[in-house]
Amino acid sequence: MAAATHSVTLDGLSGRPIEVEVDIGGGLPATVLVGLADTMVNEARDRCRSAVSNSGTTWPDQRVTINLAPSTLPKTGSHYDLAIALAVFAAKSLVPAERLAGSVFLGELALDGRLRAIRGVLPATLAAAEAGYERVFVPEVNVPEAELVRGIGVVGVRSLRQAVALLTGEEEPDDPPVPPLDDTPSISWTSADRLAHLDLADISGQEDSRMALLVAAAGGHHLLMTGPPGIGKTMLAQRLPGLLPDLTHEQSLAVSAVHSVAGVLPSDAPLLTRPPFLDPHHTASAVSIVGGGSRTIRPGALSLAHHGVLFLDEAPEFASNVLEALRQPLESGHVVVSRAAMTAAYPARFQLVLAANPCPCGLSSAVADQCRCTPLMRRRYADRLSGPIRDRIDIHRSLTSLSRPELVTAMGDARSTRELAAIVQEARGRQERRLRDTPWRLNSEVPGVELRKSWPVGEQGRVLVDQQLRTNKLNARSADRILRLAWSVADLNGHDVPRGDDVEAALSLRRGTALGGSLRDLVRAS
């Protein structure tokens, strides 16, 4: 006696349909599970045995062979339980085989047959819909997440007995749901909704830094802020998400899928509509930042910040291998985690914000310079952020302490986050119209060769960049970043083509020198 059901295996965010075959044959009683399954999947034999025995039938007193096909794909996770148990029911002729066709089954079984919530429901349901399946059975608590996918029916079930009743047309039992268990990984992340009450106008002074933050939000540029403790670096970074527009539906699905696989997707709001904000502690390991794990590969902070902001406060205090791991994702927009048994790829197109002190004690640029660090100590501290990492940061800002009279003068002279967010929205609208028929949506994503060929700057701006290249003040990559910044400044100013003053502002943003002109008028209260 043999039967088969269908489930999904996840490879990063990519789901692939698999067939769960069960054969009940002669021989000594035994349960064998094959198909390149890991330890977690192998444990499904005991869970399913108890769940089936507690759901109205007995486990076969024969040799039971369970095959997860194709056997070349690694299988990990506990969501195959429901498919295995229903295949056993079908093999015993307790469920019609034709009722199983066209459906995908996802869910972890408790020993009494009830279904527990699982992670990765959104990408698994997406894979099932793309493969042409008509329905997907998921635990009741995961229904809102699965219903985000269009074109496939979602059936929420509380228990194995209820699933069998739905498939056979019998009366459904009134089984209570399993209380959810908290297996959320210890990764600190914050949605932009929780930062919505923070206003950029609360920061006194630091006008150049607010202008830099505005340009960063408009074009999706990376930002490095250097200054003594208490100067406002963290306050500025936490107010960046408030300037960013809502995620598009496509972006929301991508971000929600990553958080679903990581197990941190809120069950009451499974579709994330605001950009995420990640601020890991400087003691975080490389695995928590990049992704990985001993048994299963989970996305790290780089991927959880996809289409959002990754803020590394006290950046030089992070381990060197963590900082150097930023190189490839900053360029490619994705991260690949390789282990001996499997490899997983996750999206990682985030906006990086770094904050650093000017020296180990942090007091070298304070109003009352009390720094006792030697030049060698300062040099070693600055070198913790390597040249390649600094070169990939578009905007550099050095924040200095303000005197008391300057603080008094600066209070009330800044626009609110809401006003500036509207300006950012207009600038991004210009980028969207300009890049409509391209694979890019932000200035920071456009390759330099495409900028020079399709969207060249004005003659005066081109001469300025050429002069910097001839004098070796810029390398080729830095020149491309200047062009991207110039376009973002032009979009904020409403210019169709970057002018000379737009390119000058881009050069100042890149070098960390003083800003002025039209950008200053944008951030000041009218």
Side-chain angles (χ1 to χ4, degrees), residues 95-179:
V95 172
E98 61 273 11
R99 299 296 301 273
L100 299 174
S103 298
V104 165
F105 301 94
L106 307 169
E108 176 187 338
L109 288 171
L111 297 185
D112 60 359
R114 292 183 295 174
L115 283 175
R116 299 187 186 277
I118 58 173
R119 64 182 63 195
V121 168
L122 179 54
T125 306
L126 281 169
E130 292 172 358
Y133 288 94
E134 300 174 358
R135 295 183 302 176
V136 57
F137 285 70
V138 300
E140 195 175 60
V141 69
N142 293 124
V143 168
E145 184 179 342
E147 287 180 338
L148 297 176
V149 181
R150 302 166 183 170
I152 188 171
V154 178
V155 181
V157 289
R158 289 186 176 183
S159 65
L160 177 58
R161 291 198 307 160
Q162 185 183 14
V164 171
L166 288 170
L167 293 168
T168 58
E170 299 176 357
E171 183 179 354
E172 298 180 28
D174 188 18
D175 291 327
V178 176

Side-chain angles (χ1 to χ4, degrees), residues 14 20 29 41 97 99 110 121 144 147 150 165 174 264 269 287 296 300 305-306 326 392 433 441 444 462 474 487 512:
S14 301
V20 180
V41 181
R99 299 296 301 273
V121 168
E147 287 180 338
R150 302 166 183 170
D174 188 18
V264 295
V287 171
T296 60
H306 184 52
L326 297 172
R392 286 168 168 80
R433 290 189 293 271
R441 290 296 174 265
S444 59
R462 185 186 62 80
L474 292 177
W487 269 107

